[in-house]
Amino acid sequence: MKRLLYIAIASIACCHGAVAQQPLSLEQLKDSALHNNIAMRTGRLDIQSAHEQRREAFTNYFPNVSATAMGFTADKAMAKMDIDPSGYITPELGAALAQSLPMEALMALQSPMTMTMMKHGRIAGIEAILPLFAGGQIINGNRLARVGEDVSALQLQLSENEVTAQTERYYWQLVSLQEKERTLDAVDALLADLAKDAQTAVEAGVALRNDLLQVQLRQNDIAAQRLKLNNGRSLLKLILAQYCGLKGEWTLAKNALDQAAVDQVAITLYTDAGAFMASLPEYQLLQKGVEAAKLQQKIEVGKHLPSVAVGAGYNYHNLLDNNRSFAMVFATASVPISDWWGGSHAIKRKKLERQKAEEQLADNVQLLGIRAEKAWNDVIEASSQIALAKKSIEQATENLRLQTDTYHAGTSTMSDLLEAQLLLQQARDKHTDACIALQNALLAYHQATGQ
């Protein structure tokens, strides 16, 4: 009846969108992290930003179109001219004008006049300028924008690698705690049987109460270990849920160490650095850094080369109280002269930055090779540690069997028996740690070799 009630409650919860202890595999956790982790979301936005920057750089191939308009009025005319016509009228011209003009007009021509212009007016125009040659700045600027887009994609790939790797590290930490809890369960079962036997022996008067107290103290120690382990597991689940963007209750799909069969894991064949180096996003980023430095050097050179442009425009004004509009085409050429005083030093600085990027590429290639070599050594070491841990478990198990037999035969003490159980627990925990270390070592090696 209780089981049916539980199923009914669970069904209602699922209908309302709640997920109760959803089992998740490692691949599901990775997929969730790749979709929800903040580093991935930021990386995707960076790619979009780089894409827009490349499209922005491409618009420099098109003409630069601008329009201007202005209206003004002044308290005084901007142009003023005094004219004295009498100074230009010769006696012959005066005699001719006297015959054709009335006396009032003839007298006005002999008086000085003042002419003013541009006290108010309007100006408007539109023009388009197309650069024909800009020292390669436009072409190299577009190439640099494409490099920036490639860099954003590689950085997203690095973020993807790190997010999946960190997710797997959190996963194996959680698996380690899960396996150690299983070890505690096994120890608890042994201690429960031992406490029951000790209680019976004490009541029968064939054993000291001190034996029972030692077992109970050991049980208290296991309970304290379990409490600490459960707290650590709860915290780790919260961290992993935040990292992967998980909602609701969840748990690991299965016993991961059994599922992965780490005891028989196939060790990855050693890969030479020359075979994987070109596929590493870190190496490709270093190459893009060199390429970007070369393009920046070319752009700096282009800033100090002549530039040529052609253009066309249409203008209107009424500055002389007369509407006037006209169209025109033009060409411009600009030759920087004094800019070379400081420009030569700027070009040398860019050249030095390019050389620095090339040297960093060469140095980091060696470091990437060393990283892969160390990761391989860690894989070999972790594999050897597993073999040693398995042997220790076998020895500790046999030791516990012998101590149990001798205790029941009355030739050893309870302290010896509990010590044998502790050694077995420690051996199992070391085996778990070795298995997790191998998984982390394989992860690091795959990441270091671009697999």
Side-chain angles (χ1 to χ4, degrees):
M1 184 67 184
K2 290 183 178 179
R3 179 176 176 82
L4 293 177
L5 180 60
Y6 173 80
I7 294 175
I9 294 174
S11 301
I12 295 173
C14 290
C15 293
H16 286 80
V19 180
Q21 291 294 320
Q22 180 183 5
L24 296 177
S25 66
L26 175 59
E27 293 304 319
Q28 289 174 315
L29 290 172
K30 289 181 180 179
D31 184 68
S32 179
L34 291 178
H35 283 86
N36 301 316
N37 188 266
I38 182 62
M40 298 303 301
R41 299 201 305 268
T42 301
R44 286 189 284 267
L45 291 176
D46 289 339
I47 285 184
Q48 295 178 16
S49 177
H51 180 65
E52 294 300 328
Q53 187 173 9
R54 182 181 64 80
R55 298 175 70 178
E56 176 187 355
F58 184 75
T59 61
N60 291 327
Y61 286 115
F62 303 133
N64 184 11
V65 181
S66 61
T68 59
M70 183 180 70
F72 69 91
T73 181
D75 60 341
K76 297 179 182 179
M78 288 185 285
K80 179 180 180 182
M81 181 180 297
D82 294 328
I83 302 176
D84 186 3
S86 62
Y88 301 96
I89 300 177
T90 62
E92 295 78 5
L93 180 59
L97 291 174
Q99 295 179 2
S100 58
L101 294 176
M103 183 58 66
E104 294 81 359
L106 186 60
M107 294 297 294
L109 289 176
Q110 295 178 357
S111 301
M113 295 184 296
T114 299
M115 179 180 296
T116 61
M117 295 180 294
M118 296 188 296
K119 184 177 181 181
H120 52 79
R122 295 187 299 274
I123 303 173
I126 185 172
E127 66 178 12
I129 301 176
L130 176 66
L132 298 181
F133 178 75
Q137 295 182 73
I138 297 177
I139 295 176
N140 291 320
N142 276 268
R143 292 173 179 170
L144 185 60
R146 283 194 293 270
V147 170
E149 195 171 18
D150 294 340
V151 167
S152 296
L154 289 171
Q155 289 175 338
L156 179 63
Q157 185 178 349
L158 278 178
S159 297
E160 179 179 342
N161 293 343
E162 178 56 30
V163 166
T164 54
Q166 185 60 49
T167 301
E168 190 162 345
R169 285 191 287 267
Y170 284 145
Y171 174 83
W172 289 118
Q173 289 179 28
L174 192 58
V175 167
S176 175
L177 295 178
Q178 185 182 63
E179 289 299 306
K180 290 180 179 180
E181 184 178 28
R182 291 182 61 191
T183 300
L184 290 181
D185 292 339
V187 174
D188 253 345
L190 290 174
L191 290 175
D193 292 339
L194 191 57
K196 182 178 179 181
D197 294 342
Q199 181 70 35
T200 302
V202 170
E203 292 176 353
V206 296
L208 298 176
R209 183 171 178 79
N210 181 58
D211 289 351
L212 178 60
L213 292 175
Q214 289 185 62
V215 175
Q216 291 173 342
L217 287 173
R218 178 72 174 136
Q219 287 178 319
N220 292 338
D221 181 60
I222 294 299
Q225 292 182 38
R226 187 184 297 277
L227 178 61
K228 184 177 180 180
L229 186 146
N230 288 335
N231 288 338
R233 185 174 57 181
S234 298
L235 179 60
L236 187 57
K237 286 187 66 175
L238 289 175
I239 294 174
L240 186 55
Q242 187 277 334
Y243 196 79
C244 299
L246 301 177
K247 304 295 182 182
E249 294 296 327
W250 61 275
T251 186
L252 297 185
K254 293 177 66 176
N255 183 291
L257 281 180
D258 288 348
Q259 184 178 1
V262 295
D263 289 344
Q264 290 82 30
V265 65
I267 302 300
T268 307
L269 294 178
Y270 179 78
T271 306
D272 185 72
F276 65 79
M277 191 63 67
S279 64
L280 290 179
E282 294 91 340
Y283 175 76
Q284 296 174 24
L285 271 176
L286 292 169
Q287 285 187 317
K288 290 298 179 181
V290 174
E291 185 178 353
K294 290 179 179 179
L295 290 173
Q296 288 172 347
Q297 181 183 352
K298 291 180 179 180
I299 291 174
E300 191 63 38
V301 172
K303 292 179 181 179
H304 304 89
L305 293 178
S307 60
V308 179
V310 295
Y314 185 82
N315 299 277
Y316 160 82
H317 73 84
N318 67 344
L319 298 179
L320 302 178
D321 295 328
N322 184 23
N323 294 329
R324 180 68 175 171
S325 61
F326 59 93
M328 64 178 179
V329 294
F330 57 88
T332 63
S334 175
V335 181
I337 297 177
S338 62
D339 286 353
W340 273 99
W341 297 345
S344 61
H345 300 290
I347 293 173
K348 290 179 181 178
R349 177 168 53 83
K350 292 297 182 181
K351 182 179 180 180
L352 293 173
E353 291 178 359
R354 176 181 61 81
Q355 292 176 349
K356 182 173 69 173
E358 292 172 347
E359 292 181 0
Q360 287 177 342
L361 171 61
D363 183 65
N364 281 281
V365 164
Q366 297 178 5
L367 293 177
L368 290 173
I370 293 173
R371 183 185 70 170
E373 189 69 25
K374 179 184 180 301
W376 172 254
N377 292 337
D378 291 342
V379 169
I380 299 300
E381 179 183 350
S383 180
S384 300
Q385 291 291 345
I386 288 180
L388 293 174
K390 290 180 63 178
K391 185 177 295 185
S392 296
I393 290 178
E394 294 174 359
Q395 295 169 344
T397 302
E398 178 64 14
N399 179 53
L400 177 60
R401 186 188 68 81
L402 294 175
Q403 289 295 338
T404 302
D405 292 343
T406 56
Y407 174 74
H408 288 305
T411 58
S412 66
T413 64
M414 178 63 74
S415 298
D416 295 332
L417 180 56
L418 293 177
E419 179 68 21
Q421 288 182 337
L422 177 61
L423 290 175
L424 178 59
Q425 177 188 355
Q426 292 174 346
R428 288 178 176 175
D429 286 344
K430 287 181 179 179
H431 179 262
T432 298
D433 292 339
C435 291
I436 300 303
L438 177 59
Q439 291 296 332
N440 289 329
L442 286 172
L443 171 65
Y445 183 69
H446 292 158
Q447 194 171 15
T449 55
Q451 298 181 25

